[in-house]
Amino acid sequence: MSAQLSQNMLLAVPMAPLVGAIVAGLFGKQVGRRGAHTVTILGVAIAFILSAMTLWSVVQDGARFNATIYEWMSVGSLKMEIGFLVDGLTAMMMCVVTFVSLMVHIYTVGYMEEDPGYQRFFSYISLFTFSMLMLVMSNNFLQLFFGWEAVGLVSYLLIGFWYTKPTAIFANMKAFLVNRVGDFGFILGIGLIVAYAGTLSYAEAFAKAPELAKLSFDMPLWGGEWMLITVTCICLFIGAMGKSAQFPLHVWLPDSMEGPTPISALIHAATMVTAGIFMVARMSPLFELSDTALNFVLVIGAITALFMGFLGIIQNDIKRVVAYSTLSQLGYMTVALGASAYSVAVFHLMTHAFFKALLFLGAGSVIIGMHHDQDIRNMGGLRKYMPITWITSLLGSLALIGTPLFSGFYSKDSIIEAVHASHLPAAQWAYWAVVVGVFVTAFYSFRMYFLVFHGKERFHHKPFPGEHDHHDDHGEHHDPHESPWVVTAPLVLLAIPSVVIGYLTIQPMLFGDFFKDAIVVNTTLHPAMKELSEGFHGAVAMATHGLMTLPFWLALGGVVTAYLFYMVKPAIPAAIKNASGPIYKLLDNKYYLDWFNENVLAAGTRLLGTGLWKGGDQGLIDGLIINGSARGIGNVAGLVRLFQSGYLYWYALVMILGVIGLMTWQLWPYLNLKTFLGL
């Protein structure tokens, strides 16, 4: 019998960051900078400790929780509630979110030290943590949607944190609008579940899933009959495409770099972009019933994994390289979802959270050391100036490219093996995409690493942005410097799980019963996980075997190529750039998707809106119906007015003529016109 978790303890997990956010946000001036970061860090630390205790209870005692905390209202038999569902999936997500958030909070003390919006920033990131916890702990679609929209709102506030910066305001509006597209699909999916299952509860909806899988409806314009479960799952996944930045709704994520670096780490590693992956994994009882939806997920994920990686190759802003890496890795997670390897997707989500947060915070440390220059072409040789940032960034990069024994190896190789084992039609394309993506990932990761930390010191040749030069009044050079301990300590603490967490957890998470009641897989139709389990002989054996697999040699090839191009023969990249002009231009313009969105979609929408306004509103409604009817009545009134002279004799004459006319009309059938005229 499973042990039970305390409702009060679970309630304290999201409430602690919320209290910190309220205190720092509403009473920031009163508590000051120290008070703001103290209360928010304490709140997130409490949430992390309670989350770790929850995970321990789930793993050791088999503890579970699924209950309503508060009933908001009911509409007929439909209940709208706040409730928590805690199982292996939830407990793992709670720990990842709170730990990464805690590291970001501590890091922010150093990174945002001189920012005038210090208290406001701490309030926002603490509110972000609360929103994500409400999302992952939810046991119903209403609360899921609340958390879904809340992380979207806070990301809008954080991307545009520097609200006097035009590019930041453009970026947060772009994120907001693109996510509205995804959220429209998401709420349609929830609406279909409510309409046909009659419930907002996960457990009740999943119990009715086999019945929903038998229903269909006609869609004449879209190929005739569609299965309800397919439409529902695709609508839900469109929501995930927006939140988790899948092609073509990915365009907001690179621009989110306009926000401060700590929030880049939080958005990309543990909160907003992971929400879509988590949601699809949670909805596995529904997705397993539609191969069409799973193929759709596979195709979108494969496109994102490969083609967003290509864009990372040509980026020169250190944060944007890591941002496109996030897009590509989210594509890998999505591919795993499409292959019905939901546990592998969530496993990669967890490992990726640690090393991606490490890489973002490492990039922020480099930016601090470089006096806020973000161009990797102006760096080089930082290894001797920033040893802690260097070694932690190297560990994060090795994890990212899937080096055996590192955390990323276990999750990324499992994704590749899972999609290879899938029998779905789209799996072949997805397998090719993720395998090629291994080389691409290694190349852009170590291109950045070598340009930043090795080679010639290029920062002596160019003034830093915002500075006249790098010399003080005495002519002394401002060398890069290592960041303070509040910045480097989170790097070290994130580097540890980036190296070991995959080795320690692969067996229980992928081949044990950690997700036994959280994720549902039909192994008969979708045998990927079954085949993976048959070939797994332990973490050490997997790492040893990994040295002989194609992904390892592709990753090694990517590293060697990057070293050759940027350390040995730096003329090669320039020559390739000149030789491949149209391709480089295509990549530099991000496949022209921004141009298409702004000049076709947005311009077309504006044109349609203008046509409806001018032709429909002004022309038809105002011009014809409202003003036209008024003019018509005015014309009739003007005609009638001619007969209203005001003279009594005129009215008498009209009455007499009227009487004669009526009498004639009534007697006309009885008159013989010839007799009357005497003919």
Side-chain angles (χ1 to χ4, degrees), residues 597-608:
N597 290 335
E598 292 169 21
N599 296 285
V600 178
L601 284 183
T605 304
R606 283 196 298 270
L607 187 64
L608 177 63

Side-chain angles (χ1 to χ4, degrees), residues 12 27 73 104 174 177 285 515 609 625 629:
F27 307 102
M73 68 175 181
V104 170
K174 185 176 183 179
L177 292 175
F515 294 126
I625 297 175
S629 60

Side-chain angles (χ1 to χ4, degrees), residues 537-559:
H537 303 292
V540 175
M542 182 176 176
T544 306
H545 177 68
L547 295 170
M548 298 176 282
T549 59
L550 178 62
F552 171 75
W553 292 104
L554 286 172
L556 183 62
V559 174

Side-chain angles (χ1 to χ4, degrees), residues 3 10 72 80 299 387 393 395 402 430 533 651:
L10 293 176
W72 177 36
M80 300 184 181
V299 170
S393 296
L395 293 174
S533 64
Y651 295 146

Side-chain angles (χ1 to χ4, degrees), residues 554-577:
L554 286 172
L556 183 62
V559 174
V560 171
T561 305
Y563 183 79
L564 177 66
F565 279 19
Y566 295 98
M567 294 291 100
V568 181
K569 296 283 186 181
I572 295 177
I576 293 174
K577 176 182 174 181

Side-chain angles (χ1 to χ4, degrees), residues 403-427:
T403 307
L405 289 176
F406 283 73
S407 61
F409 161 75
Y410 290 103
S411 54
K412 182 183 282 189
D413 271 39
S414 296
I415 291 174
I416 294 170
E417 291 301 317
V419 71
H420 182 62
S422 174
H423 295 170
L424 293 174

Side-chain angles (χ1 to χ4, degrees), residues 79 220 269 280 343 381 487 579 638 664:
K79 294 183 178 180
V280 175
S343 56
V487 171
T664 304

Side-chain angles (χ1 to χ4, degrees), residues 199-234:
T199 181
L200 285 164
S201 166
Y202 290 165
E204 294 176 10
F206 296 160
K208 294 183 179 180
E211 298 175 28
L212 300 181
K214 298 175 183 176
L215 301 177
S216 62
F217 47 82
D218 290 329
M219 295 181 69
L221 298 178
W222 299 89
E225 191 175 65
W226 276 63
M227 300 303 293
L228 171 67
I229 198 74
T230 296
V231 176
T232 302
C233 289
I234 289 176

